[in-house]
Amino acid sequence: MTMVSHRPEGLQQLEAQTNFSKQELQILYRGFKNECPSGVVNEDTFKHIYAQFFPHGDASTYAHYLFNAFDTTNNGSIKFEDFVMGLSTLLRGTLRDKLEWTFHLYDINRDGYINREEMTEIVRAIYDMMGKYTYPALKGDVPQQHVDAFFQKMDKNKDGVVTLEEFIDEMMMSSMQLFENVM
């Protein structure tokens, strides 16, 4: 059996496309290669790695959604470049970039909207991931209450779906109000 190995594009190109320095990219690459010697991670490996951060819960469903968000080419694997681009957005991107990335994570079927079913799946996956130590303790309708609150706040035109612009506008407004309250 031949092992297919992937080498990332040049570090200079990745440095230009991300918010990481060459040295940071080298460190990230060493860690990535340590976990994924082929230079590519499949969904099962990603789930295994991600589950280590949530030992008291079942992170598999949330890890599935997260994997799909990183797998921008929809080919069932994440190359180092895909991983670093997503990480750069999440760690060092603008607020708008982070919100767009998060919206695409929640838009499970990738139709450009977040519907109630998708949000319910995400909320349940988060509760499953947190496990028995979730506070407050998960009762039957708690995920639905979170979904209802999300749609009450985000779905401005009350059409049953949240668009990217509704999501970003409300999140930006909420973050500005939070900042004003702190000052």
Side-chain angles (χ1 to χ4, degrees):
M1 184 165 117
T2 306
M3 186 167 143
V4 177
S5 184
H6 173 76
R7 291 189 52 82
E9 299 172 23
L11 285 183
Q12 285 182 324
Q13 185 175 352
L14 281 175
E15 189 177 3
Q17 294 173 329
T18 67
N19 295 311
F20 292 120
S21 68
K22 183 176 180 181
Q23 183 179 13
E24 290 170 322
L25 287 166
Q26 289 170 331
I27 292 167
L28 287 167
Y29 184 65
R30 278 194 291 272
F32 190 88
K33 282 290 281 188
N34 188 47
E35 291 294 328
C36 310
S38 69
V40 176
V41 62
N42 64 28
E43 186 171 347
D44 288 338
T45 303
F46 185 86
K47 285 180 178 180
H48 175 74
I49 294 167
Y50 199 74
Q52 295 173 30
F53 296 101
F54 299 94
H56 301 292
D58 177 4
S60 62
T61 303
Y62 192 79
H64 167 75
Y65 299 138
L66 199 55
F67 179 87
N68 287 341
F70 277 106
D71 180 15
T72 57
T73 58
N74 303 321
N75 67 356
S77 64
I78 301 171
K79 296 185 298 188
F80 177 70
E81 295 90 336
D82 301 328
F83 178 71
V84 166
M85 294 295 284
L87 205 57
S88 175
T89 299
L90 291 171
L91 296 178
R92 299 194 177 153
T94 65
L95 178 57
R96 184 175 181 90
D97 291 341
K98 291 174 184 180
L99 292 172
E100 285 179 8
W101 198 95
T102 302
F103 180 88
H104 294 297
L105 169 66
Y106 294 170
D107 179 17
I108 296 169
N109 67 7
R110 297 180 180 182
D111 66 353
Y113 304 98
I114 300 171
N115 63 43
R116 285 184 170 275
E117 293 77 26
E118 289 169 318
M119 199 67 220
T120 301
E121 288 182 41
I122 291 289
V123 170
R124 286 191 189 283
I126 291 170
Y127 271 102
D128 289 346
M129 179 173 62
M130 299 309 293
K132 63 184 176 184
Y133 297 104
T134 302
Y135 182 82
L138 179 60
K139 294 182 180 127
D141 65 342
V142 172
Q144 192 58 51
Q145 290 172 6
H146 284 290
V147 171
D148 291 344
F150 175 86
F151 273 85
Q152 181 69 35
K153 188 171 192 147
M154 299 283 178
D155 185 12
K156 294 300 182 190
N157 64 0
K158 307 297 181 212
D159 64 353
V161 295
V162 175
T163 65
L164 176 62
E165 285 310 312
E166 285 174 320
F167 182 79
I168 289 176
D169 290 348
E170 183 56 40
M171 294 301 288
M172 295 280 242
M173 183 67 69
S174 295
S175 67
M176 287 173 51
Q177 288 171 349
L178 179 65
F179 181 72
E180 289 171 358
N181 291 337
V182 172
M183 302 309 280

